[in-house]
Amino acid sequence: MTAAARIDPEAVRKTLRAAGLRARHALSQNFLADVDVLDSILAEANPGPGRGVLEVGPGLGFLTRGLLDGGATVTAVELDRGLAGFLRSEFEPEIETGRLRLIEGDALDQDLTRLVDAPYDIVANLPYHITSPILHRLLGETPRPERLVLMVQREVAERIAAPPGRMSYLSVFVQYHARVRLAFTVPGTAFEPEPAVDSAVIVVEPYPGDDRLPDAAAEDALWRLVQAAFRERRKMLHNVLSRQLPVEPARVAAALETAGIDPNRRPQTVAVGEWLALLAAIGEIGEDNRGRRRERGGPAADDAGDELPEEKPDDGK
């Protein structure tokens, strides 16, 4: 699929000037200015006729145009008032015919899994500070999207797709719900203005028939277990779980043995299937406010192991 618009840094600057707009650092705005990257994102998204797509962070609408040209019906959420006004003018015919629905507001204030009728896909450009909460909402609630194509900071993408040995709470959460693939990296030179960090596109495909645990209470217990371990991610499992959970050390040791997990391993080495085995072996964990989530599918207030880096471009704009 080929992007219709000519996109390069000068074209982005001219578009912004003509609209009386500028990149806002406070909103992490760095606009995509590379047509090859745009085409690669569209190839991963692969929009089809009539397919419902939720786009977070449409920016100047380059990706929006490609999705619409592919036949998709798009709902786009844009926080910036100036950009929202630009998009309403740029896509007036598509808005009038219902092919594009534009929502002006913060994506974190939206009921994201209810904005588009299922089945639907997600295309999002996530600033670093909302990557984790957006993923928790999209994967921790139903109906889940069938496919997510996400532009995120490269370091965050590598963390989400990490293999055992480099796992974090976020990678365990996402990989419990979905298959994850790092599709390609995007250099800072692909944006205008150019950010100080590189980005990457990941493809997330939720498992059909999720969840693997029988109910919300069991899943809540899983996240309490995983979060407890990652509060001291560099410590041995037996020690950290004995300290962070309201469970006797002898029971922790017995559960690790039953699950076939060496008690001297660190949390980042434990795969999703091993966490499930450990949960089954450890039994009732009991009440412990330190490990409780704010909401089903959401991180706890002290969500350990997922501090995100300092800077993230709002990549697809």
Side-chain angles (χ1 to χ4, degrees), residues 59-289:
L60 291 172
F62 299 136
L63 184 56
T64 312
R65 177 64 66 192
L67 293 169
L68 290 168
D69 287 348
T73 300
V74 179
T75 295
V77 182
E78 176 54 57
L79 174 61
D80 187 286
R81 180 178 299 177
L83 287 172
F86 170 82
L87 292 168
R88 277 191 287 268
S89 175
E90 186 75 7
F91 291 95
E92 184 176 359
E94 290 82 0
I95 292 173
E96 288 183 351
T97 60
R99 295 195 58 217
L100 173 63
R101 174 189 176 201
L102 180 63
I103 298 173
E104 182 183 333
D106 191 333
L108 292 175
D109 294 333
Q110 310 300 320
D111 191 355
L112 293 175
T113 60
R114 298 289 192 273
L115 291 181
V116 181
D117 291 338
Y120 68 101
D121 299 324
I122 300 285
V123 179
N125 315 293
L126 300 180
Y128 79 96
H129 57 282
I130 68 168
T131 301
S132 182
I134 289 289
L135 281 168
H136 279 88
R137 294 186 186 196
L138 291 174
L139 297 177
E141 301 292 339
T142 57
R144 295 176 179 86
E146 291 191 350
R147 184 179 180 86
L148 300 88
V149 179
L150 309 176
M151 179 91 82
V152 297
Q153 184 171 324
R154 179 175 180 174
E155 183 177 341
V156 178
E158 292 172 345
R159 181 178 301 169
I160 291 170
R166 295 190 289 115
M167 301 285 278
S168 66
Y169 167 79
L170 184 59
S171 54
V172 173
F173 177 85
V174 175
Q175 292 178 37
Y176 165 79
H177 286 294
R179 290 180 292 273
V180 183
R181 172 171 58 89
L182 198 160
F184 56 90
T185 59
V186 182
T189 54
F191 302 94
E192 172 59 37
E194 181 179 342
V197 294
D198 290 340
S199 298
V201 171
I202 58 172
V203 178
V204 180
E205 297 177 306
Y207 295 118
D210 203 21
D211 290 330
R212 282 181 276 178
L213 288 170
D215 52 42
E219 189 177 330
D220 184 76
L222 173 65
W223 303 132
R224 290 173 57 201
L225 173 65
V226 176
Q227 288 166 351
F230 278 106
R231 290 198 189 95
E232 300 180 62
R233 71 179 88 175
R234 294 176 179 86
K235 303 297 184 180
M236 292 183 290
L237 281 167
H238 178 262
N239 292 333
V240 65
L241 292 176
S242 296
R243 282 193 293 267
Q244 295 291 341
L245 290 176
V247 176
E248 300 83 358
R251 213 172 102 203
V252 170
L256 287 166
E257 182 177 2
T258 299
I261 301 172
D262 187 330
N264 294 325
R265 286 170 60 184
R266 269 63 175 178
Q268 62 264 36
T269 70
V270 182
V272 173
E274 291 178 303
W275 286 116
L276 292 169
L278 180 57
L279 176 68
I282 205 167
E284 178 63 37
I285 293 175
E287 294 298 326
D288 177 8
N289 288 333

